[in-house]
Amino acid sequence: MTLRKFRQADWDEPLIFELSHEGRVGFLPPKAEPEVVDAVDEVEELIPSGMLREKPPALPEVSEVDVLRHYIHLSQMNYGVNSGIIYPLGSCTMKYNPIINEVLASHPRMLGAHPDQDPSTVQGVLEFMYNLKQGYLQVTGMDDATLQPAAGAHGEWTGIMLIRAYHKYRGELGNRTEIIIPDSAHGTNPASAAMGGFQTVEVLSGEDGCVDIDALKAVAGEKTAGLMLTNPNTLGIFDNKIAEISKIVHEVGGLMYYDGANLNAIMGKCRPGDMGFDVVHVNLHKTFATPHGGGGPGSGPVGVKSHLAGFLPVPTIEEKNGVYSLNYDKPKSIGKVHGYYGNVNVMLKAYAYMLTLGGTGLREASELSVLNSNYIARKLKDTRGLSLPYAPEKPRMHEAVLSAAKMNEETGVRALNIAKRLLDYGIHAPTIYFPMIVHEALMIEPTETESVEVLDDFIDAVKKISEMAYSKPEEVLKAPMNTVVGKLDEPRAAHPKTICLSWRRYCSLLGQGE
Amino acid sequence: MMEAIGIKSIDDLYADIPENLRFKGELDIPGPYTEAEVRELVSGTLEKGVSLRCPPFLGGGVWPHYVPSVVDEVVRRAEFLTSYTPYQPEISQGILQSIFEYQSLLCELLGMEVANASLYDWSSALGEAALLASRINHRDTILVPYFISPKRLAVLKTYTEPVGMRIEKLDYDATTGQVKIEDLKEKVNDHTAAVYVETPSYLGFVEEGVEAMAEVAHGKDALFIAGVDPISLGILKAPGDYGADLVIGEGQPLGNHMNYGGPLLGIFAAKHDNKVIRQMPGRIIGITETLEGGRRAYVMTLQTREQHIRREKATSNICSNEALCSVASAVYLSLLGPQGLRDLGEVVTSRAHYAMRRIGELPRVRAPMFNSYHFKEFTVGFKGTTAETVNKALLSNRIQGGLPLAKSFPELGEAALYCVTEMHTKKDIDALVSGLREVLEA
């Protein structure tokens, strides 16, 4: 066992406002040239008096080095996949984010490109976007795609809007009001369907954790606009009845939507397009190794089969004799979902990743991600207090969901406490309490970039926590102890009396003695 | 590892995939390449095409502004860059506090009390703002200015179509280009969920009647939503001071590179009204305390609005947002402070006015086309030539001219939307003017 004595850096860092000293400034903008100053009026003369800012914004006044240190301190009070040990956050695919991708993404021709520049000045950008799309179509088995959605949920909603446009075009939207979603689905699925104007119908999972075919047949019908499915599902199980599911949905006139959050398991092994899906989204910030930036930016390209291609957002990127252009002339298009073309800088990192691995490398990445998660599942499923619910005999794909229900019953230690105790070993917690169909869920996704030694460390840590739960549960319940702060009063943050979402509010609450 | 699992080959783990669904071929994707090869390949691709001699004279939703080195240094930090959403607050205080600071800095800049952690871009923020207004007052129409970015309007349409909201345009004054208050008074009614105005407008002029518009909107119990370019607010009045209930906008100018239009940073802010806060889309970071010792700490709060808890009843489906861009903006605003932001606003508007003046002196042009104060963008009208022709000629000198407007607003004739910022030196502007002169005198 090589569990580390972890202690997170803690700078007791003040808010940037509390570092302010009158008269300091951290950056000097350029000055207008004397000829410019001579040629134009003073700003106070130019701006209509009613629109002039009279009171300067109460921003902090801080020097350059103070700002730099402040945010470096804050960064050290954070945990990233490239700076930590392992980040097994289920459904989030926290694989290593290669540095070369960052280097390329800071190329001046990328950073400095304005989206309305003449295409002749951005041929390289358009070319890589076009090539990325071709690779995406290979991996997903779809016919066409848009790179515009800025995140996974944005992609889901775009996909739902495509389904909506399809039914509308066929004059069936009035009747097709329902989207079927399994109870194991990500929360974004029902939320995206609702934003697209549909009602959601939940279909229960069977004992094997997959869609219950009879339950599906009972809800599928003439009202069905589509079904949203993650495969492998959020339990990490590949739903082997997928062809039958697609058939049932298609026979009632619905479309199949693929939530690509779990694509990392199957690249080069099988493809959503071959399983009967009509629309897919993929998270480049998961499967294609782009960093998640503490919550974003991501990128959620959407792929479709040819019968939906006409509805894709505008513009599309087209190639003719090696020249790339943007095409807005798509009369059936749903219009736009993003102000421009999506998170292009993120796409560049995904493109570099795709080239680094190539077709064979992507397949190997998936295989190793599956090997790693099965290794963890196998080694942990019989740990005291833990179990692997839903078809424990079946192999898992890229992730596995353990339950700590028994441990909770027997010791009072919950999945939450296991998660917090893991932090104390410098290991990021798995996703917890999801999917909702597993009690005390620990959803573990190690990804392919972790070595067997790291996996063993993780396994040892969980086993040690289990032992501790049965011998000294109070020790586990105290966690986390080695992070910047211990347990937090979360209700306080949301209570109408104490809620505080800005410095401004903080000052006024302090003034009131709250 | 395979022994430990009890398998002979990795394919045993894929046994659940039916034989006929297995992908038998090889993915037709180039590679694998070594790092050096990837660097060569991708850089080579990016460098294709004409390289401009100075930043493009383009704005309209993304603008060339200088990004201080400190900003790039901070957002490159692995602990920020490669972290996920802070679901475990105890080990994620750094990003939580940074985003809280972003929210706080924006509130100071905008004169508001609550800002969320970000939306995808200005366009999606407009879509979400319209939906929020409609959820609050159960009305179905949003009034928007005539001169709105056609791309932003297209996104608004996509967002509001499923709930059946109507989008109605307000007339403009032919001389100033600004929204006609009389037309607003006529159009606002009991169906109006929100009145939306942008200042500076899409065409760069400042709307002077915002306070009156807010009153008209509030008189009919409609929300008043202001759309802003935040970098203008060192010198222009804060929307909180003219009655905005919601403020949206594009945070890209505040320390984020243009990146061919993404990632961007959707700003979304409100007054401290519990009814509005509980309907807000997206993540929000709040202050709390540790259970032991009462130490100040930060958490994602009001999560019961969000999709992972509320599912189909969530206020929005947004999950991943533009967190790192909001950190960049926090660093940017901290570096500049009130004085830096004011100085920046002054140099931007001075240079824009210098450009307007010099271009206006040329034959066969009118710049700007409206008699209003313009912040950094302005219209240039051409006679006897087209904006496309002008741009082609400028490109032969490796200068990117303004965005042609004929397709979006044919009533303006041959016109283009130009943008000048602190990135354009006098030399750059003079080169543009010479380039224009060549075309226009030809």
Side-chain angles (χ1 to χ4, degrees):
Chain A
M1 179 175 298
T2 52
L3 286 180
R4 303 182 189 212
K5 279 188 183 156
F6 169 76
R7 186 69 185 88
Q8 192 178 23
D10 177 8
W11 291 96
D12 193 15
E13 192 64 22
L15 279 160
I16 188 76
F17 295 90
E18 294 163 326
L19 295 171
S20 181
H21 288 274
E22 204 182 325
R24 285 190 191 159
V25 63
F27 177 78
L28 297 176
K31 284 194 163 37
E33 296 81 350
E35 299 91 329
V36 171
V37 175
D38 287 346
V40 300
D41 289 336
E42 295 273 335
V43 170
E44 287 82 1
E45 308 286 314
L46 288 173
I47 302 175
S49 58
M51 289 307 287
L52 189 68
R53 184 155 199 151
E54 280 156 10
K55 207 171 148 233
L59 301 174
E61 299 177 70
V62 205
S63 71
E64 177 174 332
V65 67
D66 287 344
V67 173
L68 180 69
R69 285 183 182 146
H70 172 70
Y71 285 105
I72 287 185
H73 290 168
L74 288 180
S75 76
Q76 290 171 345
M77 292 160 69
N78 216 50
Y79 190 96
V81 65
N82 285 12
S83 58
I85 304 176
I86 177 173
Y87 211 127
L89 200 61
S91 251
C92 300
T93 316
M94 294 297 280
K95 59 175 80 175
Y96 164 62
N97 304 135
I99 302 300
I100 179 64
N101 300 353
E102 300 305 315
V103 172
L104 290 166
S106 61
H107 194 291
R109 291 295 290 273
M110 176 73 266
L111 298 180
H114 187 286
D116 288 323
Q117 271 179 223
D118 190 274
S120 67
T121 66
V122 285
Q123 280 298 297
V125 176
L126 293 172
E127 180 180 326
F128 97 71
M129 289 169 75
Y130 184 86
N131 289 344
L132 175 65
K133 186 177 101 173
Q134 301 311 314
Y136 175 97
L137 297 179
Q138 279 290 312
V139 173
T140 57
M142 306 307 279
D143 298 325
D144 205 348
T146 175
L147 302 174
Q148 213 174 105
H154 203 208
E156 288 178 22
W157 169 72
T158 302
I160 289 292
M161 294 304 287
L162 293 168
I163 291 174
R164 189 178 168 86
Y166 170 84
H167 292 307
K168 196 171 184 179
Y169 184 75
R170 295 162 56 98
E172 294 185 5
L173 183 61
N175 300 323
R176 296 200 177 270
T177 53
E178 294 177 351
I179 297 280
I180 302 170
I181 300 173
D183 55 0
S184 62
H186 298 109
T188 47
N189 288 183
S192 300
M195 261 185 97
F198 291 103
Q199 275 143 15
T200 56
V201 179
E202 197 170 81
V203 57
L204 300 179
S205 303
E207 276 171 22
D208 58 355
C210 297
V211 172
D212 182 325
I213 294 291
D214 291 332
L216 174 62
K217 281 182 180 161
V219 294
E222 54 193 22
K223 283 186 170 179
T224 303
L227 174 136
M228 295 179 93
L229 195 70
T230 313
N231 196 24
N233 64 21
T234 57
L235 293 165
I237 298 173
F238 189 90
D239 198 322
N240 59 16
K241 298 186 290 286
I242 183 60
E244 197 181 348
I245 295 168
S246 295
K247 194 165 165 247
I248 293 167
V249 172
H250 285 148
E251 273 178 2
V252 298
L255 294 175
M256 290 287 290
Y257 182 92
Y258 182 84
D259 174 341
N262 294 350
L263 186 77
N264 203 47
I266 58 165
M267 287 186 290
K269 305 299 285 185
C270 62
R271 312 192 299 177
D274 301 333
M275 298 179 210
F277 287 97
D278 304 285
V279 192
V280 316
H281 92 263
V282 172
N283 305 67
L284 298 185
H285 52 281
K286 296 181 180 176
T287 312
F288 290 91
T290 74
H292 200 249
S299 177
V302 168
V304 292
K305 283 298 180 68
S306 55
H307 52 281
L308 290 164
F311 303 110
L312 286 171
V314 284
T316 53
I317 300 169
E318 289 174 14
E319 185 264 350
K320 206 173 174 188
N321 305 323
V323 178
Y324 298 87
S325 60
L326 298 169
N327 184 3
Y328 283 87
D329 187 21
K330 298 269 166 185
K332 280 156 61 185
S333 165
I334 59 166
K336 286 187 69 60
V337 298
H338 182 270
Y340 293 94
Y341 324 115
N343 287 344
V344 184
N345 185 279
V346 176
M347 297 171 203
L348 182 63
K349 299 175 191 179
Y351 180 57
Y353 176 76
M354 205 180 247
L355 293 177
T356 301
L357 270 70
T360 48
L362 290 174
R363 190 187 65 229
E364 282 168 26
S366 282
E367 290 176 344
L368 292 179
S369 80
V370 169
L371 180 69
N372 279 359
S373 89
N374 278 285
Y375 183 75
I376 288 183
R378 181 81 179 195
K379 291 241 176 174
L380 282 182
K381 73 184 170 68
D382 300 323
T383 303
R384 193 171 179 197
L386 298 181
S387 65
L388 185 66
Y390 292 101
E393 74 292 348
K394 273 194 179 206
R396 261 46 190 174
M397 292 279 103
H398 63 301
E399 67 192 359
V401 182
L402 296 171
S403 167
K406 193 155 176 264
M407 189 184 296
N408 183 31
E409 241 167 67
E410 293 171 351
T411 70
V413 170
R414 306 186 58 199
L416 176 80
N417 308 118
I418 300 175
K420 301 299 182 195
R421 191 72 183 100
L422 280 168
L423 303 181
D424 280 342
Y425 293 120
I427 290 173
H428 199 280
T431 296
I432 48 175
Y433 302 104
F434 185 81
M436 296 184 205
I437 56 173
V438 174
H439 294 298
E440 297 296 329
L442 292 158
M443 185 191 214
I444 303 162
E445 180 179 11
T447 83
E448 68 279 10
T449 56
E450 302 306 335
S451 68
V452 66
E453 293 80 17
V454 173
L455 302 182
D456 282 337
D457 283 354
F458 174 77
I459 290 161
D460 287 348
V462 174
K463 284 186 170 167
K464 187 162 182 190
I465 295 169
S466 157
E467 280 165 27
M468 210 186 294
Y470 284 92
S471 55
K472 286 185 269 179
E474 66 284 357
E475 282 298 304
V476 186
L477 296 175
K478 270 195 248 167
M481 309 283 283
N482 301 340
T483 47
V484 172
V485 291
K487 286 183 195 162
L488 299 175
D489 184 354
E490 300 205 21
R492 182 187 170 89
H495 191 280
K497 267 197 169 167
T498 46
I499 187 169
C500 176
L501 310 174
S502 65
W503 166 250
R504 196 169 255 228
R505 172 86 175 159
Y506 184 72
C507 295
S508 90
L509 286 177
L510 277 184
Q512 292 163 24
E514 285 286 340
Chain B
M1 288 173 80
M2 292 205 286
E3 239 167 62
I5 302 172
I7 52 166
K8 290 204 176 67
S9 98
I10 289 182
D11 270 335
D12 295 351
L13 298 172
Y14 286 93
D16 269 332
I17 302 180
E19 183 61 30
N20 61 341
L21 292 186
R22 291 190 196 178
F23 181 66
K24 305 277 174 18
E26 287 289 339
L27 296 173
D28 183 13
I29 293 172
Y33 293 109
T34 62
E35 176 174 323
E37 288 165 337
V38 170
R39 184 189 282 248
E40 180 82 19
L41 268 169
V42 176
S43 307
T45 303
L46 286 174
E47 282 154 22
K48 284 183 188 174
V50 181
S51 163
L52 298 174
R53 63 194 277 175
C54 72
F57 290 94
L58 290 167
V62 168
W63 305 269
H65 283 289
Y66 187 81
V67 177
S69 316
V70 169
V71 174
D72 284 333
E73 176 69 11
V74 170
V75 298
R76 263 199 302 262
R77 297 284 304 184
E79 302 90 331
F80 281 153
L81 178 70
T82 70
S83 64
Y84 206 76
T85 303
Y87 289 128
Q88 297 292 339
E90 300 91 342
I91 205 164
S92 313
Q93 285 297 297
I95 193 88
L96 285 162
Q97 183 175 335
S98 301
I99 298 172
F100 179 83
E101 290 181 355
Y102 159 78
Q103 294 173 185
S104 299
L105 291 158
L106 265 193
C107 287
E108 297 304 331
L109 189 62
L110 306 173
M112 305 301 278
E113 281 137 3
V114 189
N116 77 4
S118 69
L119 296 174
Y120 307 129
D121 62 357
W122 187 347
S123 302
S124 71
L126 175 56
E128 293 277 16
L131 295 177
L132 180 149
S134 175
R135 279 198 302 275
I136 283 187
N137 55 28
H138 308 289
R139 297 176 176 188
D140 69 352
T141 304
I142 178 166
L143 302 176
V144 304
Y146 184 83
F147 292 119
I148 183 174
S149 151
K151 296 179 181 114
R152 203 172 301 141
L153 182 64
V155 175
L156 175 64
K157 280 184 182 157
T158 317
Y159 268 81
T160 52
E161 188 266 332
V163 296
M165 273 188 92
R166 281 181 355 104
I167 303 163
E168 199 175 342
K169 276 193 161 190
L170 295 165
D171 276 351
Y172 65 98
D173 181 282
T175 312
T176 65
Q178 299 176 32
V179 172
K180 261 191 193 164
I181 304 279
E182 299 73 37
D183 189 54
L184 170 62
K185 284 181 185 160
E186 258 171 52
K187 284 178 179 153
V188 73
N189 59 35
D190 294 345
H191 298 286
T192 312
V195 175
Y196 174 62
V197 68
E198 296 179 349
T199 188
S201 71
Y202 177 59
L203 299 186
F205 53 78
V206 162
E207 294 277 357
E208 292 173 49
V210 280
E211 219 157 335
M213 293 172 75
E215 273 172 35
V216 174
H218 292 151
K220 287 283 178 194
D221 295 323
L223 261 65
F224 183 59
I225 306 171
V228 297
D229 168 3
I231 216 162
S232 69
L233 296 177
I235 57 173
L236 293 180
K237 194 171 198 168
D241 290 342
Y242 52 76
D245 301 298
L246 291 179
V247 182
I248 59 169
E250 179 51 63
Q252 175 267 325
L254 306 176
N256 289 288
H257 298 275
M258 295 194 287
N259 276 317
Y260 202 53
L264 299 175
L265 173 58
I267 289 175
F268 199 100
K271 294 282 187 186
H272 194 95
D273 174 343
N274 273 316
K275 202 171 74 180
V276 175
I277 292 174
R278 274 159 215 282
Q279 284 297 333
M280 272 175 69
R283 298 204 174 101
I284 307 178
I285 313 303
I287 286 193
T288 187
E289 288 177 356
T290 54
L291 284 171
E292 273 175 48
R295 174 175 169 175
R296 186 169 73 192
Y298 308 86
V299 285
M300 294 200 285
T301 191
L302 301 173
Q303 293 192 55
T304 50
R305 300 164 300 117
E306 291 190 62
Q307 47 76 27
H308 59 285
I309 310 266
R310 191 56 62 85
R311 298 175 81 85
E312 70 277 5
K313 293 191 183 68
T315 57
S316 169
N317 71 334
I318 189 167
C319 186
S320 286
N321 53 22
E322 311 296 303
L324 200 62
C325 302
S326 70
V327 174
S329 289
V331 179
Y332 185 86
L333 287 171
S334 303
L335 284 169
L336 270 79
Q339 191 58 43
L341 208 61
R342 182 177 169 97
D343 292 346
L344 183 72
E346 289 195 6
V347 65
V348 166
T349 209
S350 296
R351 285 200 178 143
H353 279 258
Y354 173 76
M356 255 185 279
R357 187 164 179 154
R358 296 290 316 275
I359 295 170
E361 290 163 3
L362 297 172
R364 295 157 60 195
V365 301
R366 198 167 155 217
M369 300 173 73
F370 294 107
N371 185 14
S372 284
Y373 163 67
H374 293 68
F375 172 60
K376 69 181 179 191
E377 291 151 296
F378 54 92
T379 39
V380 178
F382 299 102
K383 273 200 200 109
T385 185
T386 68
E388 303 273 2
T389 312
V390 170
N391 274 358
K392 265 207 186 98
L394 289 173
L395 262 183
S396 65
N397 284 320
R398 298 193 297 121
I399 294 174
Q400 170 66 57
L403 179 71
L405 293 169
K407 274 187 199 143
S408 324
F409 301 107
E411 60 276 54
L412 296 179
E414 277 305 324
L417 178 60
Y418 275 74
C419 172
V420 172
T421 74
E422 83 282 8
M423 297 278 278
H424 300 104
T425 61
K426 175 178 174 292
K427 203 173 133 201
D428 296 334
I429 299 168
D430 290 347
L432 166 69
V433 174
S434 312
L436 285 171
R437 187 185 302 279
E438 264 177 47
V439 202
L440 295 164
E441 288 183 347

